[in-house]
Amino acid sequence: MKKLLLGDHAVAQGAYEAGVKVAAAYPGTPSTEITEYLSTFNDIYSEWSVNEKVAMEVGIGASMAGGRALVSMKHVGLNVAADPLFTYAYTGVNAGLVIAVADDPGMHSSQNEQDSRFYGLSAHIPMLEPSDSQEAKDFTKFAFELSEKYDTPVFIRLTTRIAHSRSFVEISKRQEIEFDYKQDIAKFVMVPANARKRHVKVEERERRLASDVNSFDINRIENGKNKIGIICAGAVYQYVKEALPDYPVFKLGFVYPLPVEKLREFASNCDDLIVIEELEPYIENALKSNGISVRGKELTGLQGELSSEKIKEIILGYKVISGKEELPARPPVMCAGCTHRGIYYVINKLKLNAAGDIGCYSLGCNEPLNAMHSLICMGAAIANTHGMEKAKGKDFSKKNIAVIGDSTFVHSGITGLINAVYNRSNITILILDNSTTGMTGHQPHPGTGKTIKNEQTHTLDFEALVRACGVNNVSVIDPYDLDMTESVIKEHIVKDGVSVIIARRPCILLDKTAKFDVAEIDNCRKCGMCLKLGCPAIRKNKDGSVAVDSTLCTACMLCEKVCKFASVKKVGDAK
Ligand code: SF4
Ligand code: SF4
């Protein structure tokens, strides 16, 4: 039977068919759908872990115990998970461990363009890269076999276009595989004396794999009439086939280790060789260092995604006319009624500097709010603010605030808070608790009291937790109450020590079936104050007055609170 599956779903299907027992992840676009899909299978234990490092440690535990495990994350999450992963590359596995990592060339929803292929190289872990959903499933199953055969974790690398594209996949039955748990101190306890011996085994394994990889048929040569050969993998293979149908192609299934001898043979039959790859010159440099002459980044550049049009332009010199109409630029905005909007309105009004974090609330950096001034990575806001205070002193801190979401706080903000208290910081932290992981599509987390399967579980008590970390100045506010928000921020920001304000109101989109009443504007005096909220439901008329789009408005009534002329009122009955 064939099914139309997303690349992410196909990885999950492959893991299911391979008999995976445990799946763990932290949600992150474009990898989120892998674990969401796995959670629909009852034979698999699946979880949203609090962060990628924990997910990796859960997967490692399952693998050591004898159950196959899949751990998934986006590229930046792999940095968080790298610590246990590098050591598990040394110990090797019991049952297979596969890590699905999804890169985001073009940064559709990421803070950097990161090329995870280098993790294969630096952690000494084999990496496979599929080019469609069928391969995503097949490669995942193969990865588990490799993992056990070569005693190593194995990567499946996706990029956004493969993770989020659909193609047909042949569905097979699940295979039940379980290994006995055997204590093995020399293998699994990485004290230096054992680790030194395991490092030797890692090198042996790599040499074996580097030789065997030349005979794996997931790397293949496709002949063509042209004398210029193309080397590619992943989504780029699809672009190449469309743009250059007559060119001979070396399609890589393994991106680490590379099948160098097979590539050398391919090179000897071509007059010229071009590596087409997104992001870094990873394949190009590897071939050059093996004495194979290729061109690559001098043609394709280092940034963003490729496409068949771009490849035609680069290789064939075509100027492609897309025929698509130019669409107006539409920057991302917080939703109408977003619970974060009022917070940023007040931060802007008080002229505070805000060190932000990753989540929907990152959009507070945009016009007209302009109220988030730095963003580095998941969980960084609190420690960044602490560092600012240590560099600039207490007075600077009175104009400085850390802003972090609830899921991000649990992910890796808690350690920053403990550090700030321990190191006698003088900072104010706003935890924006909208009771969900909003940006990746409303996944639950420990603060929501729900598991991935929507089962009830313990609810993390943020106030109690923050107090247990040593914070005495704790307030809870309603972010729709602008007066309260302003006065509580003003009160806390001048205090010595660490202050925490929890702004609590569930994300406006959480109840998708809810019906709201709406705001209406009467006798607008054209002062423009409500426009400073940046609510997409408020539009400006040609005469300078404003109106509310009732199809978007959720009656949060922030515009009523900022209107000095009482022009806004609520209409209709909420159901
Ligand atoms: S009440 Fe005002 S601020 Fe709130 S969603 Fe409606 S238009 Fe936007
Ligand atoms: S704040 Fe009131 S008066 Fe000013 S533009 Fe908005 S609705 Fe009109």
Side-chain angles (χ1 to χ4, degrees):
M1 183 189 57
K2 285 199 170 185
K3 251 183 163 176
L4 190 62
L5 292 181
L6 276 184
D8 275 351
H9 291 169
V11 169
Q13 181 67 32
Y16 169 76
E17 291 177 14
V20 152
K21 290 271 186 298
V22 171
Y26 182 79
T29 309
S31 67
T32 310
E33 293 87 351
I34 299 172
T35 311
E36 275 178 346
Y37 197 72
L38 277 166
S39 73
T40 65
F41 295 109
N42 288 333
D43 323 62
I44 298 172
Y45 168 78
S46 50
E47 70 171 41
W48 290 130
S49 306
V50 297
N51 63 34
E52 295 84 356
K53 177 174 182 282
V54 173
M56 187 67 74
E57 289 156 351
V58 171
I60 289 171
S63 160
M64 282 195 292
R68 285 183 166 182
L70 183 85
V71 182
S72 322
M73 62 205 64
K74 67 181 295 181
H75 61 292
V76 286
L78 186 52
N79 303 326
V80 180
D83 194 2
L85 179 65
F86 272 61
T87 300
Y88 206 51
Y90 268 38
T91 66
V93 304
N94 179 12
L97 177 73
V98 173
I99 304 111
V101 60
D103 284 3
D104 186 16
M107 293 180 279
H108 297 283
S109 55
S110 310
Q111 64 270 41
N112 63 41
E113 280 186 312
Q114 177 178 312
D115 195 329
S116 295
R117 294 176 298 176
F118 289 96
Y119 267 103
L121 184 71
S122 61
H124 309 285
I125 293 175
M127 181 180 278
L128 311 178
E129 184 168 355
S131 292
D132 59 25
S133 296
Q134 182 66 55
E135 285 192 351
K137 189 198 92 161
D138 294 344
F139 285 16
T140 304
K141 289 174 83 170
F142 179 51
F144 280 102
E145 289 168 26
L146 277 176
S147 176
E148 286 144 11
K149 182 172 176 198
Y150 289 91
D151 195 17
T152 174
V154 176
F155 280 120
I156 294 286
R157 181 206 186 218
L158 307 168
T159 54
T160 307
R161 295 294 158 188
I162 298 299
H164 284 172
S165 300
R166 288 178 196 271
S167 58
F168 280 102
V169 175
E170 189 69 47
I171 302 299
S172 307
K173 285 207 180 91
R174 178 171 165 89
Q175 171 196 20
E176 290 301 340
I177 290 201
E178 191 148 359
F179 295 81
D180 289 339
Y181 173 61
K182 286 187 228 85
Q183 288 181 346
D184 188 342
I185 291 172
K187 178 173 165 70
F188 287 121
V189 181
M190 284 303 93
V191 292
N194 290 343
R196 283 184 205 110
K197 289 180 195 142
R198 289 300 310 177
H199 193 178
V200 175
K201 291 202 180 294
V202 169
E203 302 292 336
E204 284 168 7
R205 170 182 86 207
E206 274 219 306
R207 279 195 292 277
R208 197 153 52 97
L209 248 171
S211 158
D212 292 357
V213 73
N214 291 290
S215 54
F216 286 127
D217 58 12
I218 69 167
N219 304 305
R220 65 170 189 263
I221 294 169
E222 296 178 1
N223 294 320
K225 288 187 211 125
N226 205 293
K227 290 306 281 177
I228 301 174
I230 307 290
I231 299 170
C232 56
V236 175
Y237 165 75
Q238 303 291 0
Y239 308 147
V240 165
K241 290 304 283 182
E242 195 180 321
L244 311 170
D246 293 338
Y247 283 59
V249 171
F250 196 116
K251 183 200 177 300
L252 290 160
F254 262 87
V255 288
Y256 185 76
L258 290 170
V260 176
E261 290 320 310
K262 208 169 168 179
L263 284 161
R264 200 186 299 282
E265 195 187 306
F266 178 68
S268 68
N269 292 319
C270 301
D271 290 348
D272 190 8
L273 210 52
I274 300 175
V275 174
I276 305 186
E277 57 187 327
E278 289 170 330
L279 302 171
E280 302 298 316
Y282 166 82
I283 300 169
E284 181 185 344
N285 286 352
L287 294 186
K288 283 178 175 166
S289 70
N290 277 285
I292 302 173
S293 173
V294 288
R295 293 185 293 149
K297 286 295 153 187
E298 64 196 276
L299 302 169
T300 59
L302 286 162
Q303 291 160 7
E305 283 189 304
L306 292 169
S307 63
S308 54
E309 282 84 7
K310 277 191 196 167
I311 290 171
K312 276 186 194 163
E313 212 171 312
I314 292 162
I315 310 291
L316 304 176
Y318 285 8
K319 188 70 201 155
V320 179
I321 298 154
S322 74
K324 288 178 203 150
E325 275 185 44
E326 281 296 316
L327 294 172
R330 197 173 293 164
V333 288
M334 287 188 280
C335 306
C338 176
T339 56
H340 306 320
R341 178 169 285 107
I343 296 288
Y344 284 119
Y345 177 81
V346 172
I347 289 174
N348 185 318
K349 187 177 171 195
L350 297 178
K351 301 203 177 347
L352 300 179
N353 185 74
D357 222 299
I358 310 283
C360 297
Y361 52 96
S362 309
L363 301 172
C365 68
N366 292 333
E367 294 277 1
L369 296 162
N370 291 327
M372 205 184 81
H373 307 97
S374 61
L375 180 155
I376 302 298
C377 68
M378 289 288 288
I382 299 174
N384 286 165
T385 311
H386 167 65
M388 287 176 177
E389 192 260 336
K390 292 301 169 203
K392 293 282 188 185
K394 267 197 214 177
D395 287 343
F396 179 84
S397 230
K398 297 194 188 335
K399 279 282 174 198
N400 212 14
I401 198 157
V403 181
I404 189 165
D406 46 347
S407 183
T408 315
F409 177 65
V410 177
H411 176 283
S412 46
I414 294 171
T415 44
L417 175 65
I418 293 169
N419 180 69
V421 175
Y422 171 63
N423 288 304
R424 302 158 62 91
S425 204
N426 294 286
I427 59 170
T428 303
I429 300 155
L430 258 167
I431 300 174
L432 306 186
D433 179 7
N434 65 355
S435 307
T436 191
T437 314
M439 196 163 219
T440 44
H442 293 132
Q443 289 76 22
H445 61 71
T448 65
K450 291 275 164 55
T451 68
I452 192 170
K453 286 180 179 277
N454 207 29
E455 295 154 338
Q456 198 65 44
T457 183
H458 176 74
T459 309
L460 183 63
D461 179 339
F462 284 110
E463 290 95 299
L465 173 75
V466 164
R467 287 188 195 282
C469 291
V471 180
N472 298 322
N473 303 320
V474 185
S475 293
V476 180
I477 59 168
D478 176 359
Y480 278 177
D481 186 335
L482 293 185
D483 289 342
M484 180 203 250
T485 300
E486 185 172 339
S487 72
V488 172
I489 291 178
K490 276 179 172 165
E491 175 200 329
H492 280 270
I493 208 134
V494 293
K495 286 185 180 173
D496 284 346
V498 176
S499 283
V500 172
I501 305 165
I502 300 167
R504 178 167 297 137
R505 191 174 261 271
C507 170
I508 192 73
L509 299 182
L510 267 187
D511 183 357
K512 293 192 171 75
T513 60
K515 296 266 184 285
F516 304 95
D517 43 17
V518 294
E520 195 176 79
I521 295 177
D522 215 10
N523 290 324
C524 173
R525 308 277 276 273
K526 306 177 187 174
C527 72
M529 276 306 286
C530 58
L531 293 170
K532 293 192 174 167
L533 289 166
C535 174
I538 305 177
R539 65 160 198 267
K540 197 171 176 184
N541 298 321
K542 281 193 181 132
D543 67 356
S545 66
V546 301
V548 168
D549 180 343
S550 62
T551 60
L552 292 176
C553 175
T554 60
C556 72
M557 301 320 287
L558 288 182
C559 51
E560 181 198 34
K561 289 173 187 118
V562 301
C563 179
K564 300 229 171 20
F565 302 103
S567 300
V568 185
K569 61 179 192 300
K570 201 186 255 193
V571 290
D573 296 317
K575 290 164 211 152

